[in-house]
Amino acid sequence: MALAKEIMGISLLEKSSSFTNSSSMALFNRNNYHKENHLWFNQQFQGRRNLFRQSTMAAISENLIKVVPEKAVKFKVRAVVTVRNKNKEDLKETIVKHLDAFTDKIGRNVTLELISTDMDPKTKGPKESNQAVLKDWSKKSNLKTERVNYTAEFIVDSNFGYPGAITVTNKHQQEFFLESITIEGFACGPVHFPCNSWVQPKKDHPGKRIFFSNQPYLPDETPAGLKSLRERELRDLRGDGKGVRKLSDRIYDYDIYNDLGNPDKGIDFARPKLGGDDNVPYPRRCRSGRVPTDTDISAESRVEKPNPTYVPRDEQFEESKMNTFSTSRLKAVLHNLIPSLMASISSNNHDFKGFSDIDSLYSKGLLLKLGLQDEVLKKLPLPKVVSSIKEGDLLKYDTPKILSKDKFAWLRDDEFARQAIAGVNPVSIEKLQVFPPVSKLDPEIYGPQESALKEEHILGHLNGMTVQEALDANKLFILDHHDVYLPFLDRINALDGRKAYATRTIFFLSDVGTLKPIAIELSLPQTGPSSRSKRVVTPPVCATGNWTWQIAKAHVCANDAGVHQLVNHWLRTHACLEPFILAAHRQLSAMHPIYKLLDPHMRYTLEINGLARQSLLNSDGVIEACFTPGRYCMEISAAAYKNWRFDLEGLPADLIRRGMAVPDSTQPHGLKLLIEDYPYAADGLMIWGAIEGWVRDYVNHYYPSSAQVCSDRELQAWYAETINVGHVELRNEDWWPTLATPEDLISILTTLIWLASAQHAALNFGQYPYGGYVPNRPPLMRRLIPDENDPEYAVFLADPQKYFFSALPSLLQATKFMAVVDTLSTHSPDEEYLGERHQPSTWTGDAEIVEAFYKFSAEIGRIEKEIDERNADTKLKNRCGAGVLPYELLAPSSGPGVTCRGVPNSVSI
């Protein structure tokens, strides 16, 4: 009967002439009808998925059904406010929490105000409700549940209109995390306000916090009552570019990388500034506004761990993520143990003596291996370091996945080659276009461009083909790190304990679809006109040749590890995305549909980038300590940025650029892979297609023509600011895609979501599974291959295994690196994976878009099943076979921990 009365009531009201009267019940005003009440009818009669998941649909007042009143009547609506509790509080937080509970009773409380989408004709401003107080804060303050629901009641007029925003004022002493607000009592059904934000005390941040409903609006469609609030919120987020940022601020702004060095500690800790006037182009980072150093006014002073560095408050890790990060071995090893171990280890610079030494790190742990277990544990206040790790396991590493199926697979040439297309860096390999390969470096500075590779080096490995026939048949591929490293080799090789070549590796594609390495070129800078600066190593035919080949492969891996970490991983997925994220927060309102689309793909990125600058990328930080280029790591990254092109960052464009695919309109994704069993590319293209389909549905829903794209001032400001401020040194490049049509927007957004999700996952979550066993993928090398007339040659011949291990990272370097990549490869319990959203049914108020998202989610599930099937297909020898690891880095879902699979929505670690 209640539903019948509602239907009858709406029917009567719809026919009433008062419906066209702006002063009557705007709740059913035809101006709002299409967007709000159409949604209600969809739910009742079209059998769509229940968007709101609330069982309560407020009944329409009997008075409204019987008569249409001449005068506005008042009625109650209720807010259900969901606040997320902290699991752990320190003493100060507990005391302040109790104080807030007490003062809440005497008026220092939390108040809310509803704001209509309509203007008030009297005040010429938005219609506002009375202030409502959050009830029962003091009663519920001791609840230990993860979430607490509070209520507040508003009195509104029947001509109030549709609620479009809520302001929140926190008169407590302490911030709280507001997850969501649901308003019940309007005839259109519950109205949802996704918040997911920290609300600061009024004493620290005097303005009211604004939250908008989940109804998306393009700028020109913004209801009159919300226009000024939309603009004000964006102004607040931009700030004024001045002053030191407080940790509680929500201000998004840009700065150069002038905070990696610490010149106040001495000249050895100074580092070049990246970006700005120093002619070293680099993407911009989030501005923190810290004061300059005493020594160099253009360098920003540093905040050292464990003190937090600034990112906007809502970008900081949530509690479960922070717990995962801070209780990891990264903190346990680097922050607490290494100082205690340095004297013991560095006194005789422990090298690995053999494979059993490395194995013992997984079976016994570092402390037992060194005989320091008791000594170090006495020095450590263990519960403060980490309560979840047993004492005996504190420095015991999990066995990396590379050892799980075949302990010696890493030694084989076919596995070395397989990792170039199915390992942790599958994005550097290219089709060999010409033989011998040619450098693009300036010959006046770096010597002849010609390679030392000759046809005789590879002819015996081409199955009877000539070199030209192999090139024409798309059988030759190359891993070419020559031009990245050669300009830095003089400086790198002058560092203590660092030795590197600039490497090129040639691979031949067999008839069964696997690769084999057939030649490695090792280059050093030319020291004179007749100096021998290049050598070629080929697969061995004798015992000495075997060890030379193994060391050469290790140098290739060290080159590849540096390019992977500094260029493909850090630069292309972390650093280059940061300006897009900053500009999105500064220029796109939270009610903008494109902001809503991008929101899950921006989660935690600013925080993890800030942490990286604090302790990974900084002078004498983990990256410098663990990778061959040492103090020149970030200069290599900056040199690579000059060749970065956003238009080629999408998967299809990147595959074609590298010659790994050719355009083919008959194929599903418009291209044909030259290596059919290229696991990263084959799985990646499925995910790329799913993302592109989802983005196409989304964009076409809001932008039916180019006119809407061009006239969307927030969208255009976002893209323009990203280029002109965030990537300012590259702003004049002609390769930047235009943003003038829906198709342009689809391409840009698909690329961004691909980079933040699948591309980052493919490059990140295999770091420990593949690199945690250091001989498989050493991040640095300490010795070159000796020539016959070198004094070291006799040592090499006498004990080649000892020489091999002395060329690899030392025990200290290896364990530090293992600790870092273990942390970086870990999924936290609150991870959101591709195809998931925090509030899947209420993140948007648009029913058609929710349906499209569920379709995308189902497609991601289908892709996961297909990846599982591929990994069981014995014809695909690069992912299935005796001792071969399955390729799961692009399998979308994962549990927490180091799993070597899972595609999170964002760059979050």
Side-chain angles (χ1 to χ4, degrees):
M1 278 300 291
L3 179 60
K5 285 180 181 179
E6 283 185 18
I7 295 166
M8 282 175 62
I10 289 173
S11 203
L12 286 167
L13 284 165
E14 193 172 12
K15 290 174 184 173
S16 166
S17 62
S18 68
F19 235 69
T20 60
N21 185 340
S22 63
S23 66
S24 69
M25 275 184 37
L27 187 58
F28 296 105
N29 189 316
R30 284 193 182 274
N31 291 332
N32 298 316
Y33 178 80
H34 179 70
K35 281 191 171 149
E36 283 81 44
N37 293 324
H38 181 56
L39 188 59
W40 190 85
F41 279 108
N42 279 345
Q43 289 172 300
Q44 298 298 328
F45 300 113
Q46 294 178 22
R48 291 187 183 271
R49 187 185 303 273
N50 179 6
L51 179 60
F52 296 117
R53 289 195 176 176
Q54 308 284 341
S55 58
T56 307
M57 174 67 77
I60 298 171
S61 164
E62 292 289 332
N63 290 334
L64 298 184
I65 295 170
K66 290 171 185 171
V67 292
V68 177
E70 293 294 326
K71 281 189 169 184
V73 296
K74 295 187 182 295
F75 64 102
K76 278 185 185 177
V77 293
R78 186 175 77 134
V80 178
V81 179
T82 303
V83 172
R84 191 184 304 159
N85 268 341
K86 281 188 174 181
N87 290 325
K88 294 177 182 174
E89 295 173 333
D90 60 30
L91 181 61
K92 181 184 174 185
E93 287 173 329
T94 304
I95 292 169
V96 176
K97 182 178 175 180
H98 287 302
L99 180 64
D100 282 340
F102 174 74
T103 57
D104 189 84
K105 297 176 183 177
I106 56 172
R108 277 173 50 185
N109 45 28
V110 176
T111 58
L112 292 78
E113 223 172 316
L114 264 184
I115 297 173
S116 172
T117 54
D118 291 350
M119 296 292 282
D120 189 326
K122 292 178 184 173
T123 65
K124 307 298 184 189
K127 289 181 181 175
E128 297 176 355
S129 73
N130 64 309
Q131 274 198 356
V133 175
L134 219 55
K135 295 179 179 178
D136 297 331
W137 188 281
S138 56
K139 278 187 188 175
K140 296 181 178 180
S141 64
N142 289 323
L143 289 177
K144 301 298 183 189
T145 54
E146 185 180 1
R147 290 172 177 82
V148 180
N149 289 331
Y150 299 93
T151 60
E153 284 188 350
F154 301 94
I155 307 292
V156 294
D157 288 343
S158 52
N159 63 3
F160 179 78
Y162 186 82
I166 289 179
T167 63
V168 180
T169 304
N170 176 12
K171 299 175 194 171
H172 291 163
Q173 296 292 304
Q174 193 159 271
E175 65 178 6
F176 63 87
F177 188 83
L178 180 56
E179 190 169 90
S180 65
I181 302 173
T182 303
I183 303 295
E184 299 169 342
F186 287 97
C188 58
V191 183
H192 295 274
F193 293 77
C195 303
N196 298 307
S197 181
W198 290 95
V199 180
Q200 299 302 323
K202 186 178 177 181
K203 66 182 178 66
D204 298 328
H205 295 266
K208 295 176 181 178
R209 279 300 308 278
I210 305 165
F211 296 99
F212 297 106
S213 80
N214 64 354
Q215 185 63 42
Y217 297 103
L218 293 174
D220 288 344
E221 296 171 355
T222 311
L226 302 181
K227 281 182 179 176
S228 62
L229 291 178
R230 183 173 189 146
E231 291 163 7
R232 189 178 102 197
E233 175 73 353
L234 285 174
R235 279 197 307 272
D236 290 346
L237 291 169
R238 291 180 201 131
D240 60 6
K242 298 174 184 174
V244 180
R245 297 272 65 87
K246 296 182 295 187
L247 292 174
S248 58
D249 284 346
R250 292 169 60 246
I251 293 176
Y252 297 79
D253 205 355
Y254 302 92
D255 211 339
I256 63 170
Y257 279 64
N258 61 350
D259 62 339
L260 299 179
N262 190 350
D264 289 349
K265 284 178 72 176
I267 190 70
D268 287 343
F269 294 91
R271 294 292 179 270
K273 289 169 280 297
L274 308 182
D277 300 327
D278 288 359
N279 203 27
V280 185
Y282 214 65
R284 293 301 182 262
R285 64 171 174 93
C286 182
R287 178 185 178 276
S288 58
R290 294 191 298 270
V291 297
T293 60
D294 296 333
T295 313
D296 181 354
I297 197 166
S298 65
E300 187 173 275
S301 58
R302 289 184 50 77
V303 174
E304 302 295 353
K305 55 186 182 291
N307 296 314
T309 185
Y310 172 77
V311 292
R313 181 64 181 101
D314 291 339
E315 305 302 317
Q316 294 170 30
F317 286 164
E318 291 175 21
E319 197 171 10
S320 62
K321 175 79 170 179
M322 182 51 82
N323 288 343
T324 301
F325 193 80
S326 62
T327 60
S328 63
R329 289 187 180 90
L330 181 65
K331 185 173 182 183
V333 177
L334 299 183
H335 299 183
N336 301 88
L337 296 181
I338 291 301
S340 308
L341 300 178
M342 281 288 273
S344 306
I345 295 176
S346 58
S347 57
N348 50 14
N349 196 21
H350 284 61
D351 286 339
F352 293 110
K353 294 183 178 61
F355 294 107
S356 60
D357 274 13
I358 301 176
D359 293 344
S360 69
L361 292 176
Y362 313 117
S363 58
K364 297 179 182 175
L366 177 60
L367 300 187
L368 281 176
K369 174 175 169 30
L370 295 170
L372 298 172
Q373 178 92 346
D374 294 338
E375 177 190 337
V376 172
L377 289 178
K378 278 177 198 167
K379 295 179 184 176
L380 280 179
L382 192 67
K384 291 181 184 175
V385 179
V386 49
S387 56
S388 58
I389 301 175
K390 295 177 188 171
E391 289 190 9
D393 291 339
L394 188 61
L395 280 182
K396 186 168 152 185
Y397 295 89
D398 294 327
T399 302
K401 200 170 182 182
I402 184 65
L403 302 178
S404 64
K405 297 188 82 174
D406 180 350
K407 191 175 178 182
F408 298 107
W410 66 275
L411 277 165
R412 298 196 317 265
D413 286 356
D414 63 289
E415 176 62 20
F416 169 77
R418 188 191 74 85
Q419 289 184 30
I421 54 174
V424 72
N425 185 34
V427 299
S428 286
I429 190 169
E430 301 172 287
K431 178 184 179 292
L432 185 62
Q433 304 290 351
V434 293
F435 187 88
V438 179
S439 169
K440 294 176 183 171
L441 296 174
D442 185 348
E444 294 289 321
I445 302 173
Y446 300 107
Q449 294 176 315
E450 293 74 28
S451 165
L453 286 158
K454 307 291 182 196
E455 289 202 2
E456 56 262 31
H457 289 130
I458 65 172
L459 263 179
H461 303 282
L462 303 182
N463 287 2
M465 292 181 175
T466 66
V467 173
Q468 192 57 50
E469 285 171 337
L471 284 170
D472 293 342
N474 300 323
K475 291 284 191 179
L476 290 175
F477 296 85
I478 185 170
L479 203 57
D480 189 348
H481 298 315
H482 178 276
D483 288 5
V484 174
Y485 278 90
L486 195 69
F488 293 91
L489 281 186
D490 277 333
R491 286 175 282 170
I492 291 171
N493 288 336
L495 294 171
D496 188 30
R498 304 292 167 98
K499 289 292 178 278
Y501 298 100
T503 66
R504 291 188 180 108
T505 309
I506 308 295
F507 299 94
F508 179 74
L509 181 65
S510 72
D511 292 337
V512 295
T514 56
L515 292 169
K516 64 176 180 180
I518 56 175
I520 294 171
E521 181 186 35
L522 305 170
S523 297
L524 293 169
Q526 204 168 20
T527 54
S530 58
S531 68
R532 181 170 173 245
S533 61
K534 299 176 182 180
R535 68 185 289 177
V536 176
V537 183
T538 53
V541 291
C542 66
T544 304
N546 176 66
W547 281 104
T548 302
W549 180 245
Q550 291 299 341
I551 298 172
K553 286 196 300 180
H555 272 283
V556 171
C557 287
N559 265 200
D560 195 61
V563 169
H564 161 258
Q565 196 67 271
L566 303 171
V567 181
N568 296 333
H569 179 208
W570 167 256
L571 173 67
R572 293 171 62 187
T573 66
H574 284 259
C576 285
L577 281 182
E578 187 156 346
F580 286 93
I581 293 169
L582 290 168
H585 286 286
R586 289 166 52 86
Q587 301 296 344
L588 296 175
S589 166
M591 66 174 86
H592 197 292
I594 300 306
Y595 181 89
K596 289 182 178 293
L597 173 70
L598 289 176
D599 186 33
H601 306 292
M602 303 189 290
R603 186 183 190 218
Y604 292 154
T605 304
L606 297 184
E607 169 82 334
I608 195 62
N609 285 5
L611 288 167
R613 288 190 297 272
Q614 186 182 40
S615 59
L616 298 182
L617 306 170
N618 58 307
S619 60
D620 206 32
V622 172
I623 297 296
E624 289 191 0
C626 294
F627 288 86
T628 300
R631 62 178 296 146
Y632 306 109
C633 279
M634 289 303 287
E635 291 181 60
I636 285 180
S637 182
Y641 178 60
K642 294 175 185 174
N643 300 315
W644 176 81
R645 288 183 53 165
F646 181 69
D647 63 322
L648 299 181
E649 286 297 280
L651 179 60
D654 179 57
L655 291 170
I656 291 167
R657 164 175 58 178
R658 292 189 283 119
M660 300 303 291
V662 292
D664 185 342
S665 58
T666 66
Q667 296 294 313
H669 304 284
L671 49 78
K672 182 182 189 313
L673 293 175
L674 297 191
I675 302 175
E676 193 175 330
D677 180 20
Y678 181 0
Y680 157 78
D683 294 357
L685 284 169
M686 289 196 296
I687 291 179
W688 171 272
I691 294 170
E692 187 179 47
W694 156 234
V695 172
R696 187 175 300 282
D697 288 346
Y698 196 96
V699 167
N700 287 339
H701 182 76
Y702 293 104
Y703 299 93
S705 73
S706 298
Q708 282 96 337
V709 173
C710 293
S711 65
D712 186 335
R713 59 187 179 278
E714 287 185 8
L715 183 72
Q716 294 295 335
W718 162 66
Y719 191 53
E721 185 174 281
T722 298
I723 296 169
N724 295 319
V725 183
H727 288 282
V728 60
E729 285 92 9
L730 303 182
R731 68 188 181 283
N732 295 322
E733 299 293 338
D734 59 7
W735 46 253
W736 281 104
T738 55
L739 180 51
T741 69
E743 207 57 40
D744 295 339
L745 182 56
I746 290 163
S747 174
I748 290 165
L749 294 173
T750 302
T751 299
L752 289 174
I753 294 172
W754 160 260
L755 289 171
S757 59
Q759 179 78 324
H760 178 259
L763 294 167
N764 185 72
F765 292 102
Q767 289 190 84
Y768 187 78
Y770 282 99
Y773 186 68
V774 169
N776 175 58
R777 194 173 169 77
L780 65 82
M781 294 293 284
R782 295 186 293 153
R783 289 193 177 190
L784 301 175
I785 301 173
D787 284 323
E788 289 182 21
N789 38 358
D790 285 342
E792 288 187 320
Y793 192 71
V795 178
F796 168 64
L797 286 182
D799 194 340
Q801 178 176 296
K802 182 179 180 182
Y803 188 91
F804 176 73
F805 279 105
S806 73
L808 294 182
S810 68
L811 177 63
L812 175 62
Q813 290 166 330
T815 51
K816 188 183 253 194
F817 173 74
M818 289 161 66
V820 174
V821 294
D822 181 40
T823 301
L824 297 182
S825 304
T826 299
H827 291 294
S828 68
D830 73 338
E831 203 89 89
E832 284 179 14
Y833 297 95
L834 199 61
E836 297 177 352
R837 287 198 70 131
H838 178 49
Q839 293 155 326
S841 297
T842 58
W843 63 274
T844 178
D846 198 320
E848 286 183 42
I849 291 301
V850 171
E851 286 300 313
F853 179 73
Y854 280 117
K855 185 177 85 172
F856 168 62
S857 186
E859 175 62 7
I860 293 296
R862 185 199 66 75
I863 288 169
E864 180 150 342
K865 288 177 183 169
E866 186 159 341
I867 289 172
D868 290 342
E869 290 169 9
R870 289 176 176 182
N871 284 327
D873 185 346
T874 54
K875 296 193 295 295
L876 302 177
K877 299 189 184 303
N878 292 318
R879 61 197 305 161
C880 182
V884 176
L885 288 184
Y887 186 73
E888 296 180 309
L889 285 167
L890 289 174
S893 71
S894 174
V898 179
T899 62
C900 202
R901 61 177 291 139
V903 179
N905 276 321
S906 63
V907 178
S908 59
I909 190 67

